[in-house]
Amino acid sequence: MSPVDPDDPIAAFMFLTDPPEHTRLRRQVSRAFTERRIAGLREYATSTAQDLVRSMLAVGDGADLQSAFAYPLPIAVISELLGIPDAGRDKFRRWADIVLRSAGLPDDEVYTGFEELRRFVIDVVDAKPDGADLLSQLVVDSGEGDGLSRAEINAMALGLLMAGYITTAHAITTGVVRLMLRRDFFTGLTERTVDPAAVVEELLRCQDEEIGIQRIAQRDVEFRGALIKHGDTIVVSRVGANRDPDVFGQGDQVRPGGDNGRAHLTFGFGPHHCLGAALARMELTVALVTLATMLPTLELAAPLTEIGWQSDGMDISLRSLPVRW
């Protein structure tokens, strides 16, 4: 394996590799996503979510749920997971917002933001180990035979940020919208008459934050009578797959407690199945239960037809989510 420039974490992104290299990288990071670590983060996420709602209540009887709650929660959890020092978390979030919420920003501003974020992550990793966080554990394990290099740890930190920040925030906002349209399920969370895990699983299945995923065929493949040639670019729709009527029946409807709970492809499938799936499920559960418990009268503050959407590449998201209580 050729050495990777430790200052170029993109070159070591795990999701850009295939087995056996991908297997080695995934095995190392999987050790860090233990049930104990997720349980510890649940306590932190719950406390953070409650503090965010208290801040919303202190301001008035309405807010933009996206900026006041959905974005701050996952970035706080990611910071805690990675062991980002308290003094650097505001910078971390500002750069992450520039890079990952870049729709409409000038290219040079996005590039500068990414360079600053990249340098920040490298400096944080260089200062490890200094605690029990994920990055510290990866640095300690780097001395093992198949441990990650410093460049690979840098890449893992950036990759976890990119995969676990915006996608989780969007899952929270779109999940809230769907629960506002199905008030019985939101009330069920408030009164604890429905299983939060079942509700979260259905909301994840119904996620529609992407237009599709671009992939390049590695060999000729015949699919349902059509020939996909080696090198062809295809767009795969997980959104469409998660609504396949042959699998989910009325797949566009949220139906918690059905038999299709974990059959969806929101987190992918096979060797590239999302490493942070358990973390994302935990965060979404904490977010929705906290909102339903502390803001039982939560409702949309504008008609759904007036809530704007935006696209950034192949991803789509709400511009804001005005709510009141």
Side-chain angles (χ1 to χ4, degrees), residues 38-170:
I38 300 299
L41 285 171
R42 177 184 288 272
E43 295 179 11
Y44 177 81
T46 300
S47 175
T48 301
Q50 292 172 347
D51 286 345
L52 290 170
V53 172
R54 291 189 188 101
S55 296
M56 291 163 56
L57 288 169
V59 172
D61 59 359
D64 173 8
L65 191 71
Q66 185 158 265
S67 62
F69 184 84
Y71 280 128
L73 178 58
I75 195 67
V77 174
I78 287 291
S79 297
E80 186 73 7
L81 171 69
L82 298 180
I84 303 298
D86 290 344
R89 291 191 177 188
D90 287 343
K91 294 180 180 178
F92 183 56
R93 181 184 175 185
R94 184 173 71 252
W95 291 327
D97 283 344
I98 291 173
V99 174
L100 300 176
R101 300 168 60 188
S102 58
L105 292 179
D107 290 344
D108 59 343
E109 185 175 346
V110 177
Y111 176 79
T112 299
F114 179 79
E115 283 300 299
E116 292 176 339
L117 176 61
R118 179 183 67 86
R119 189 70 253 172
F120 176 81
V121 169
I122 290 172
D123 290 343
V124 168
V125 173
D126 284 346
K128 299 293 180 181
D130 65 352
D133 57 88
L134 172 59
L135 293 185
S136 289
Q137 182 175 342
L138 291 176
V139 169
V140 170
D141 292 345
S142 65
E144 300 178 3
D146 61 350
L148 303 186
S149 69
R150 196 53 66 101
E152 290 166 344
I153 297 174
N154 294 339
M156 197 61 62
L158 273 178
L160 289 171
L161 167 66
M162 296 172 73
Y165 176 25
I166 299 300
T167 53
T168 303
H170 292 171

Side-chain angles (χ1 to χ4, degrees), residues 1 22 26 41 45 115 150 157 218 260 267 293 296 307 319:
M1 180 181 64
H22 176 269
R26 187 182 180 92
L41 285 171
E115 283 300 299
R150 196 53 66 101
Q218 300 299 297
N260 301 316
F267 293 115
T293 302
I307 298 177
R319 294 184 184 276

Side-chain angles (χ1 to χ4, degrees), residues 258-306:
D259 297 331
N260 301 316
R262 297 185 181 271
H264 61 74
L265 299 176
T266 299
F267 293 115
F269 181 78
H272 286 275
H273 181 269
C274 178
L275 263 176
L279 180 64
R281 286 186 171 102
M282 178 274 287
E283 289 184 69
L284 187 53
T285 301
V286 166
L288 297 179
V289 170
T290 300
L291 291 172
T293 302
M294 298 182 69
L295 297 173
T297 58
L298 184 72
E299 63 180 6
L300 299 181
L304 189 57
T305 54
E306 295 180 9

